[in-house]
Amino acid sequence: MKRLVISGATVIGSVDTLDYVYDGLKLTKIQGDENVEFTYTDSLITQIFHSFDFSNRLDLLDYDDAGRLSGVAVYFASVFSRTIDFVYNEDNTVTYEINNVNDTTPTEWGQITLSQGRPTKLERHYWVFVYSPSGASNSYVVHEVLYYMYDYKKNPLRNVIGLDKITLLNLVNIRMYDGIYVGGPNNVVGTIAGAYTYNEYDYPLNVVRSTTYNKQYFYE
């Protein structure tokens, strides 16, 4: 895949065009409203640098002896900010915690269920803080349960080295899902689903999620 165009209510400026740059089968850059650079050590992605108009972020990735993502140290504007830790269990689940520096409790935690190495269920819990006009604040924990289903089509980045190792990081870093969620002060339950169309080679051309976003994929 060479380009992804995202439009909809979740995108700043309504449209974001992302161009993908490669060195052979390694992804080196994603260029768009947010620029992302990838650094490899052999076949593993060990650094991800995000640059925005107003700031930047650096993720330093660690792996265990089996080559599985075990932890991430996150720096905002060169300042150490938080950690993300993964623990692999014998029942094909992965538990994780996100801890901000100087906080005494995790800001997010949960469990990912795997089937044949792919995430099929994500149970997550995270704090939300609501501020009133007077400055007073209230907080509650959101509980989400998300399910992922797969067809026999192809991932547009299926041949890129190292991306399959960081699937868990993408899950816990992105708030845009296809799945089911449960959360909020009233335990709201809802469904989020995207509809895909594919080309003759079984690669996605387009995915639409209601009025939230539309993604168009371009290849060479």
Side-chain angles (χ1 to χ4, degrees):
M1 183 178 71
K2 297 294 292 184
R3 174 172 289 182
L4 174 64
V5 178
I6 307 173
S7 58
T10 61
V11 180
I12 298 174
S14 296
V15 178
D16 190 10
T17 298
L18 305 177
D19 289 307
Y20 290 71
V21 181
Y22 303 89
D23 179 7
L25 293 178
K26 292 181 178 180
L27 179 63
T28 57
K29 294 180 181 179
I30 302 176
Q31 299 173 323
D33 287 346
E34 171 191 351
N35 294 305
V36 184
E37 297 182 25
F38 299 86
T39 299
Y40 284 79
T41 300
D42 297 324
S43 62
L44 297 176
I45 297 171
T46 50
Q47 294 186 28
I48 306 175
F49 182 73
H50 310 253
S51 59
F52 318 92
D53 289 339
F54 52 88
S55 185
N56 59 63
R57 166 182 162 177
L58 175 65
D59 295 346
L60 301 180
L61 285 63
D62 287 322
Y63 299 83
D64 63 16
D65 292 339
R68 303 173 300 188
L69 184 66
S70 59
V72 184
V74 180
Y75 294 78
F76 282 98
S78 301
V79 178
F80 180 51
S81 174
R82 67 173 180 248
T83 58
I84 307 173
D85 297 295
F86 299 97
V87 176
Y88 295 82
N89 307 308
E90 294 182 356
D91 61 352
N92 289 321
T93 63
V94 183
T95 53
Y96 75 91
E97 279 190 1
I98 300 178
N99 290 277
N100 287 342
V101 173
N102 299 326
D103 281 352
T104 57
T105 59
T107 58
E108 180 173 324
W109 62 99
Q111 179 172 276
I112 301 163
T113 301
L114 303 177
S115 177
Q116 298 180 340
R118 297 186 298 189
T120 56
K121 181 181 180 182
L122 170 62
E123 301 172 76
R124 65 189 303 163
H125 319 276
Y126 58 90
W127 287 96
V128 170
F129 296 89
V130 179
Y131 296 91
S132 69
S134 65
S137 65
N138 186 29
S139 63
Y140 58 88
V141 175
V142 173
H143 307 280
E144 294 181 340
V145 181
L146 306 166
Y147 295 89
Y148 300 87
M149 295 182 294
Y150 301 87
D151 54 24
Y152 294 97
K153 308 298 185 180
K154 298 173 182 176
N155 186 311
L157 298 172
R158 65 195 295 260
N159 294 319
V160 176
I161 293 173
L163 284 189
D164 60 320
K165 302 290 187 180
I166 64 171
T167 301
L168 301 185
L169 177 61
N170 292 336
L171 285 185
V172 303
N173 267 343
I174 298 175
R175 291 262 191 262
M176 187 182 297
Y177 315 108
D178 294 336
I180 298 172
Y181 63 88
V182 180
N186 299 315
N187 288 323
V188 176
V189 179
T191 300
I192 308 171
Y196 287 79
T197 57
Y198 297 89
N199 64 17
E200 65 270 29
Y201 304 106
D202 287 339
Y203 283 98
L205 286 175
N206 182 267
V207 57
V208 178
R209 195 182 87 183
S210 185
T211 59
T212 307
Y213 67 72
N214 178 78
K215 297 180 180 180
Q216 295 177 283
Y217 300 85
F218 297 87
Y219 307 88
E220 282 189 349

